């Protein structure tokens, strides 16, 4: 069994849709007080563009996502 943790940062786009930015193996125990300025900094970079639209214009939410995989038949080596 393997468990992975991802930090999922959700932003609103310039056209009102939601976009996610996922970070693998994040530091545990992050708080909203730590994440809010970091997400604001990502928005301030204005470094991303998807189909001519800035995908990160406002903070929507953030959460940890845990995924557990249980192999029933192991992969052949």
């Amino acid at each position: 069994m393997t468990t992975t943790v991802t930090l999922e940062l959700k932003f609103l786009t310039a056209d009102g849709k939601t976009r996610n930015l996922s970070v693998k193996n994040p530091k545990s125990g992050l708080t909203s007080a730590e994440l809010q300025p970091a997400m604001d900094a990502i928005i301030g970079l204005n470094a991303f563009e998807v189909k001519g639209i800035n995908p990160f214009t406002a903070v929507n939410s953030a959460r940890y996502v845990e995924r557990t995989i249980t192999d029933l038949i192991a992969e052949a080596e």
Side-chain angles (χ1 to χ4, degrees):
M1 181 168 28
T2 306
T3 300
T4 58
V5 177
T6 303
L7 176 63
E8 185 178 85
L9 307 175
K10 292 182 168 241
F11 295 88
L12 295 176
T13 65
D15 62 352
K17 296 181 180 178
T18 302
R19 286 276 182 193
N20 298 340
L21 180 63
S22 296
V23 180
K24 293 180 182 179
N25 304 314
K27 178 180 173 182
S28 64
L30 293 170
T31 65
S32 59
E34 294 169 310
L35 287 171
Q36 185 72 44
M39 292 175 76
D40 288 337
I42 291 169
I43 293 167
L45 289 173
N46 201 27
F48 303 95
E49 185 177 298
V50 177
K51 297 180 184 176
I53 296 173
N54 181 359
F56 308 126
T57 58
V59 173
N60 185 11
S61 63
R63 64 185 179 181
Y64 286 110
V65 177
E66 290 186 34
R67 179 174 180 228
T68 302
I69 299 171
T70 303
D71 291 324
L72 301 176
I73 299 174
E75 292 182 28
E77 293 185 21

